[in-house]
Amino acid sequence: MAKIVCVLYDDPEGGHPTNYPRDGVPRIERYPDGQTTPTPKAIDFTPGEMLGDVSGALGLRKYCEKNGHQLVVTSDKDGANSTLDRELHDAEVVISQPFWPAYMTAERFARAPKLKLIITAGIGSDHTDLDAAVRHGVTVAEVTYSNSISVAEHVVMMILALVRNYLPSHEWVRRGGWNIADCAQRAYDIEGMHIGTVAAGRIGSAVHRRLKAFDVKLHYTDRHRLPAQVEQELGLTFHPDTASMVPVCDVVSINCPLHPETLNLFDERMIARMKRGAYLVNTARAQIVDRDAVVRALQSGQLAGYAGDVWYPQPPPKDHPWRTMPHEGMTPHTSGTTLSAQARYAAGTREILECYFEGRPIRDEYLIVRDGKLAGAGAHSYSVR
Ligand code: NAD
């Protein structure tokens, strides 16, 4: 019997939902590169239900109980004497979602001698100290591709919202106004703009494909260059690094993981290299940008807008400056936790658990760290110190 600690976000303020605006979600069997969506032996939920909150328990409760495992589900993860800290001493598996991350620091590893597996229910395992996972021989796995398309849709929405000045215009309506000139004074079309992505992995590439239809000029940088045929098909211009790409872009979308190479990549100097009045969209990780440099750039007009759904820490304090900076289009960390995405990453989490407990290999593409080194998706997309 194993103890599984699962850290999830709180239920909605009105309680765990009992009904939904729609009667289900489309069934998707393969991702755009042909990879199959998760293939657990069974699931104990109806796709489209809320699974990521504490009551949803990622749909894992029945499975864990049937197999004699102890499942502890909590949202209490930070501060002195949190439930997470109290449960770690005999935990074998820790699961959390990047939206409400269990920050698995080196100190927490030291307090969890039985820990064998950390699962990111979603994508992006930077909330786990990967160096510590390497040192302790703990496997880190995530549900690769499960919400990449969800995020790409959010990126396109945010680019359009910023450039077309959607949110402030909406506010005029709510306030009873009809202030056309107030709305139009910051509104543009994206047609003809140069839009660049930092990384062209699953999300970056999905952003390219979606934006192509808008007749924009697409740019990217990545440590793995795409095949020439894909560059040609999408009209992509490759740049060897971020510094050489940003000066030509009207909009930049950050789509790389957070790891030592990308920490603080968008500092004051990188933002100064951007065109005056460029837009920056960050659905990757907050620490890829310098928090205060973003605020200053919005105040000075160097950036015309910043939007994203990733913050540090999560949840952010009430007085986090991104809540009140000008020309922002922020959301809480929601892009990858639509009900559609939850069904996939909950099934993927179940698949990883089944493999682990049945002694079957976890899919290579789900692996970030295994056997004391980066593996699978981790070896492709991350670095350690
Ligand atoms: P992916 O592994 O398919 O792509 C990552 C890409 O980043 C790879 O092509 C890799 O080569 C590239 N890369 C890594 N380091 C780089 C560097 N220094 N410079 C340039 N490129 C670099 O992953 P993905 O599915 O596209 O997800 C990317 C990231 O997006 C995740 O790691 C996560 O941080 C974030 N994400 C956010 C949400 C959300 O809800 N906001 C959801 C999913 C993923």
Side-chain angles (χ1 to χ4, degrees):
M1 180 187 125
K3 178 161 148 189
I4 301 168
V5 178
C6 190
V7 174
L8 300 175
Y9 45 74
D10 289 311
D11 289 10
E13 290 193 349
H16 184 73
T18 49
N19 57 63
Y20 296 89
R22 297 180 51 77
D23 297 328
V25 291
R27 192 178 158 82
I28 289 160
E29 279 164 6
R30 284 184 187 275
Y31 299 114
D33 70 351
Q35 179 188 317
T36 56
T37 51
T39 49
K41 288 181 175 167
I43 51 170
D44 298 311
F45 58 83
T46 305
E49 283 174 1
M50 175 73 81
L51 301 163
D53 65 358
V54 169
S55 295
L58 290 177
L60 295 173
R61 195 164 292 287
K62 248 196 203 162
Y63 165 78
C64 291
E65 281 166 9
K66 207 171 87 194
N67 289 282
H69 303 306
Q70 183 192 356
L71 178 69
V72 176
V73 183
T74 182
S75 64
D76 181 25
K77 67 186 183 74
D78 298 316
N81 203 29
S82 66
T83 305
L84 169 61
D85 279 327
R86 278 186 279 112
E87 297 289 348
L88 274 180
H89 64 100
D90 58 350
E92 185 169 330
V93 181
V94 170
I95 304 171
S96 76
Q97 305 163 102
F99 324 106
W100 191 263
Y103 292 111
M104 291 302 293
T105 57
E107 298 85 71
R108 280 182 163 155
F109 272 89
R111 268 190 270 142
K114 295 196 168 166
L115 189 60
K116 295 280 184 326
L117 174 66
I118 298 178
I119 304 176
T120 302
I123 304 171
S125 296
D126 52 280
H127 56 278
T128 291
D129 183 329
L130 299 182
D131 293 281
V134 164
R135 283 197 307 278
H136 288 262
V138 171
T139 297
V140 180
E142 62 183 43
V143 192
T144 305
Y145 232 143
S146 58
N147 56 14
S148 302
I149 301 301
S150 323
V151 177
E153 291 186 3
H154 209 79
V155 170
V156 174
M157 175 185 81
M158 285 184 153
I159 292 174
L160 289 169
L162 287 182
V163 176
R164 305 194 59 85
N165 204 31
Y166 170 54
L167 292 169
S169 307
H170 179 66
E171 263 312 297
W172 278 114
V173 173
R174 310 245 339 154
R175 279 189 275 158
W178 190 255
N179 300 49
I180 309 290
D182 286 280
C183 301
Q185 65 183 334
R186 293 188 69 86
Y188 298 90
D189 300 342
I190 67 167
E191 184 184 18
M193 284 190 171
H194 290 258
I195 303 187
T197 64
V198 179
R202 293 170 180 82
I203 297 174
S205 296
V207 168
H208 297 153
R209 290 192 179 276
R210 280 152 184 75
L211 284 177
K212 189 177 180 334
F214 286 91
D215 290 329
V216 296
K217 298 178 177 67
L218 292 169
H219 301 255
Y220 81 102
T221 182
D222 196 298
R223 62 187 196 184
H224 303 283
R225 190 162 177 177
L226 293 168
Q229 179 203 336
V230 175
E231 287 186 0
Q232 224 170 9
E233 179 198 344
L234 298 174
L236 288 170
T237 303
F238 172 75
H239 298 262
D241 52 32
T242 304
S244 58
M245 182 184 80
V246 297
V248 302
C249 291
D250 302 289
V251 182
V252 172
S253 168
I254 305 176
N255 300 115
C256 56
L258 171 64
H259 60 109
E261 283 171 27
T262 61
L263 178 72
N264 216 26
L265 179 64
F266 280 79
D267 58 6
E268 194 99 42
R269 279 173 48 205
M270 186 67 79
I271 294 173
R273 292 181 68 84
M274 298 176 76
K275 281 187 191 173
R276 190 193 77 84
Y279 304 87
L280 186 56
V281 171
N282 181 10
T283 55
R285 285 297 179 260
Q287 288 170 296
I288 298 172
V289 304
D290 175 327
R291 185 192 78 168
D292 297 328
V294 165
V295 178
R296 285 193 295 274
L298 289 168
Q299 287 165 344
S300 72
Q302 172 59 13
L303 286 179
Y306 179 94
D309 68 330
V310 285
W311 306 65
Y312 186 79
Q314 288 189 180
K318 288 254 180 321
D319 63 352
H320 191 294
W322 289 0
R323 292 183 189 273
T324 48
M325 62 191 179
H327 314 307
E328 55 78 23
M330 299 300 296
T331 61
H333 194 167
T334 53
S335 65
T337 190
T338 54
L339 296 173
S340 327
Q342 289 180 34
R344 290 188 292 272
Y345 67 69
T349 303
R350 167 84 175 253
E351 178 187 337
I352 292 168
L353 285 176
E354 287 177 1
C355 290
Y356 172 72
F357 287 118
E358 293 167 23
R360 290 186 282 121
I362 295 169
R363 288 193 206 196
D364 201 51
E365 65 259 29
Y366 288 172
L367 292 171
I368 303 298
V369 173
R370 187 183 56 190
D371 300 333
K373 53 181 190 320
L374 292 174
H380 183 87
S381 295
Y382 285 80
S383 63
V384 283
R385 282 185 291 274

